[in-house]
């Protein structure tokens, strides 16, 4: 009961206060009303200001850039190749006979004209002696025929011998001279055959193992190949290039296998060995086949490489790296900065005002992790190399290194 009384008294008091407030409001003049309105507007503005949302600050993408520069770009091609001896000679028996001697160490270096093998010479010595004897006989007959002719000639002049006697004497003399010439030729041939029984090295180089045993019948009627001699202090590396490579080199006025005084570089080759190491000497291309193989679409190229330590052996397969071209003062950019779409290849350029520009470029060969730009970029410009996926044309960006 006591609480109800308190609530009733409170309500009565509030009602009297409200009536007083309404009464007071009705008594306000227009100036007072104006002040009230101004106060309300200030309160409303203050409430609006305090309750406004915080402004959203624009977040610019951060990108990594690189300054465009020029450099000499070396363009290489890689091809499978094989090593060939500069000279490879087969030592063969040129006359038939039994092999008597071997006068070299297998696998060692031999000099030019060094005696390698000896074939039984007795048969050929006998033929030489017979040819000499026959030559001496024919020379004697020629001398006698000359004397007979010399005796008949004055008798014929004195009418003491007939024309037939003179003709017979002359014919006998000329026939004897021809027999001498034939005997001399036979002797030369027999002496040559005798010299072939001593087999000499045709070149200086390293000799293989012997292919026949002592006592074997060799020559045209038997085994004729005795050994091989290889000159390998300089070797030839042979490899194949495609028709497309040829067209590209011609487009750049590079003639493989020909020296060009107008350029300050030469098409050198380096080779990689089986253990993946790079051979210490380089070689120069000195031959390019003037025609393309229609079956494979390739042509053969040769390069000579020094081999003083015999690290390279004929028959080896190797990987050949050829300097095809040198682009002097070329614009080259990281390949990762380039993007490709249907309309072409483009790259983002960050202008001085921080605006990203999507620019289409014409690309050239790719060398390592860089690509040559033929058209579209100038030295000194800033290109975006990382973060370009966050960019759109005409939007601003911030350099990470700024």
């Amino acid at each position: 009961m006591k609480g109800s009384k308190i609530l009733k008294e409170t309500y009565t008091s509030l009602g009297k206060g409200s009536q007083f407030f309404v009464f007071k409001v009705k008594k306000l003049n227009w100036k007072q009303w104006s002040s009230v309105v101004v106060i309300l507007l200030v309160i409303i503005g203050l409430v609006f200001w305090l309750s406004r949302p915080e402004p959203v600050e624009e977040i610019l993408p951060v990108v990594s850039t690189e300054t465009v520069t020029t450099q000499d770009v070396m363009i290489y091609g890689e091809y499978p190749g094989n090593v060939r001896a500069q000279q490879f000679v087969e030592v063969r028996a040129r006359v038939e006979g039994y092999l008597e001697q071997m006068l070299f160490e297998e696998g060692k270096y031999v000099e030019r004209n060094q005696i390698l093998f000896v074939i039984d010479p007795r048969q050929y010595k006998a033929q030489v002696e017979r040819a000499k004897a026959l030559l001496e006989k024919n020379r004697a007959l020629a001398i006698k025929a000359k004397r007979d002719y010399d005796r008949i000639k004055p008798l014929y002049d004195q009418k003491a011998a007939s024309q037939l006697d003179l003709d017979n004497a002359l014919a006998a003399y000329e026939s004897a001279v021809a027999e001498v010439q034939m005997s001399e030729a036979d002797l030369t041939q027999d002496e040559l055959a005798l010299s072939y029984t001593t087999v000499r090295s045709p070149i200086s180089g390293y000799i293989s193992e012997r292919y026949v045993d002592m006592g074997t019948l060799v020559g045209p009627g038997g085994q004729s190949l005795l050994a091989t001699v290889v000159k390998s202090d300089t070797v030839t590396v042979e490899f194949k290039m495609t028709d497309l490579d040829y067209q590209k080199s011609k487009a750049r006025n590079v003639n493989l296998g020909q020296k060009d005084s107008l350029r300050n570089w030469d098409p050198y080759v380096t080779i990689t060995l089986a253990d993946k190491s790079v051979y210490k000497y380089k070689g120069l291309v000195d031959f390019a086949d003037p025609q393309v193989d229609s079956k494979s679409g390739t042509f053969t190229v040769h390069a000579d490489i020094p081999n003083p330590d015999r690290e390279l052996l004929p028959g080896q397969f190797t990987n050949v790296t050829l300097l095809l071209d040198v682009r002097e003062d070329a614009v080259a950019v990281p390949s990762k900065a380039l993007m490709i779409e249907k309309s072409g290849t483009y790259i983002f350029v960050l202008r001085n005002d921080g605006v990203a520009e999507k620019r289409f470029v014409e690309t050239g060969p790719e060398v390592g992790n860089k690509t040559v730009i033929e058209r579209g970029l100038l030295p000194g410009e800033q290109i975006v190399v990382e973060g370009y996926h966050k960019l759109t044309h005409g939007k601003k960006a911030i350099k990470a290194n700024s």
Side-chain angles (χ1 to χ4, degrees):
M1 292 298 293
K2 187 175 180 179
S4 301
K5 185 177 179 180
I6 293 173
L7 290 173
K8 186 176 181 181
E9 289 177 356
T10 302
Y11 176 77
T12 303
S13 299
L14 289 173
K16 290 180 179 181
S18 300
Q19 292 174 2
F20 177 77
F21 179 75
V22 171
F23 176 77
K24 288 293 184 179
V25 169
K26 289 182 179 179
K27 294 296 185 177
L28 294 178
N29 58 29
W30 68 273
K31 290 184 178 180
Q32 293 171 328
W33 276 107
S34 299
S35 299
V36 171
V37 170
V38 170
I39 292 171
L40 290 174
L41 290 175
V42 170
I43 293 172
I44 293 171
L46 183 61
V47 171
F48 178 77
W49 173 260
L50 294 175
S51 61
R52 79 190 190 284
E54 291 292 332
V56 179
E57 184 179 356
E58 182 182 3
I59 301 176
L60 299 179
V62 179
V63 297
S64 296
T65 62
E66 185 176 298
T67 303
V68 177
T69 58
T70 59
Q71 63 186 88
D72 291 346
V73 178
M74 297 183 177
I75 301 171
Y76 295 93
E78 292 190 359
Y79 313 92
N82 67 290
V83 179
R84 290 174 44 193
Q86 192 177 45
Q87 283 185 283
F88 177 88
V89 179
E90 294 181 336
V91 179
R92 292 183 176 272
R94 303 175 70 173
V95 293
E96 187 174 270
Y98 290 97
L99 197 62
E100 285 192 340
Q101 298 181 59
M102 183 186 78
L103 303 175
F104 66 91
E105 291 186 57
E106 296 171 312
K108 300 297 183 179
Y109 188 83
V110 295
E111 298 287 347
R112 185 173 183 271
N113 287 328
Q114 178 178 331
I115 299 176
L116 304 178
F117 298 95
V118 175
I119 300 171
D120 184 2
R122 290 174 295 177
Q123 171 187 351
Y124 299 97
K125 286 182 178 179
Q127 291 177 355
V128 169
E129 294 302 323
R130 180 177 180 276
K132 287 181 177 179
L134 184 60
L135 175 59
E136 292 302 323
K137 174 185 175 182
N138 290 331
R139 282 176 176 170
L141 293 175
I143 293 173
K144 179 181 182 301
K146 179 70 168 58
R147 290 172 179 171
D148 291 343
Y149 174 76
D150 290 342
R151 284 196 297 268
I152 295 296
K153 184 67 170 61
L155 294 175
Y156 172 77
D157 293 337
Q158 298 173 8
K159 306 298 182 178
S162 66
Q163 181 68 45
L164 179 60
D165 294 333
L166 180 64
D167 292 341
N168 289 338
L170 180 60
Y173 171 64
E174 292 177 346
S175 178
V177 171
E179 288 292 336
V180 170
Q181 293 175 343
M182 288 178 61
S183 296
E184 289 175 344
D186 289 340
L187 177 60
T188 300
Q189 185 174 359
D190 290 337
E191 288 176 337
L192 188 61
L194 177 62
S195 70
Y196 288 159
T197 60
T198 302
V199 182
R200 300 177 182 271
S201 176
I203 61 172
S204 297
Y206 288 88
I207 193 166
S208 68
E209 63 179 354
R210 70 176 189 271
Y211 297 149
V212 292
D213 294 325
M214 297 302 99
T216 303
L217 179 65
V218 297
Q223 172 70 30
S224 63
L225 181 59
L226 306 180
T228 56
V229 180
V230 176
K231 178 178 173 58
S232 58
D233 51 352
T234 298
V235 296
T236 298
V237 177
E238 178 180 291
F239 56 98
K240 304 283 188 180
M241 295 182 65
T242 65
D243 183 28
L244 180 60
D245 292 327
Y246 174 77
Q247 297 297 333
K248 288 181 178 179
S249 64
K250 291 299 292 182
R252 294 284 299 166
N253 293 320
V254 178
N255 296 313
L256 295 173
Q258 300 180 18
K259 291 187 177 181
D260 190 348
S261 59
L262 299 179
R263 62 172 183 252
N264 56 9
W265 61 274
D266 290 308
Y268 281 98
V269 302
T270 57
I271 61 175
T272 304
L273 304 178
D275 60 356
K276 306 302 180 183
S277 64
V278 178
Y279 185 58
K280 58 187 174 182
Y281 294 104
K282 295 181 179 180
L284 181 63
V285 171
D286 61 355
F287 170 78
D289 201 325
Q291 61 182 359
V292 175
D293 186 346
S294 59
K295 295 181 180 179
S296 62
T298 61
F299 62 98
T300 303
V301 181
H302 291 174
D304 288 339
I305 297 182
N307 187 34
D309 302 323
R310 294 190 69 211
E311 293 184 48
L312 302 178
L313 296 177
Q316 278 182 314
F317 287 95
T318 183
N319 187 60
V320 180
T321 301
L322 169 64
L323 178 60
L324 291 171
D325 195 5
V326 177
R327 298 290 184 93
E328 298 178 350
D329 296 327
V331 173
V333 301
S335 300
K336 65 179 182 179
L338 296 170
M339 289 153 285
I340 301 175
E341 63 179 22
K342 187 176 181 180
S343 53
T345 302
Y346 67 92
I347 193 170
F348 274 105
V349 178
L350 197 63
R351 302 192 318 220
N352 293 334
D353 56 3
V355 175
E357 177 187 345
K358 180 181 178 181
R359 187 180 299 177
F360 285 91
V361 294
E362 180 182 338
T363 59
E366 184 175 355
V367 181
N369 59 356
K370 289 197 172 184
T371 300
V372 175
I373 303 299
E374 305 286 6
R375 294 184 183 85
L377 283 179
L378 295 175
E381 292 188 301
Q382 295 288 319
I383 59 171
V384 179
V385 294
E386 291 184 3
Y388 47 77
H389 59 280
K390 300 179 288 187
L391 300 178
T392 55
H393 179 73
K395 297 297 182 179
K396 285 193 172 184
I398 300 176
K399 291 193 294 184
N401 52 357
S402 63

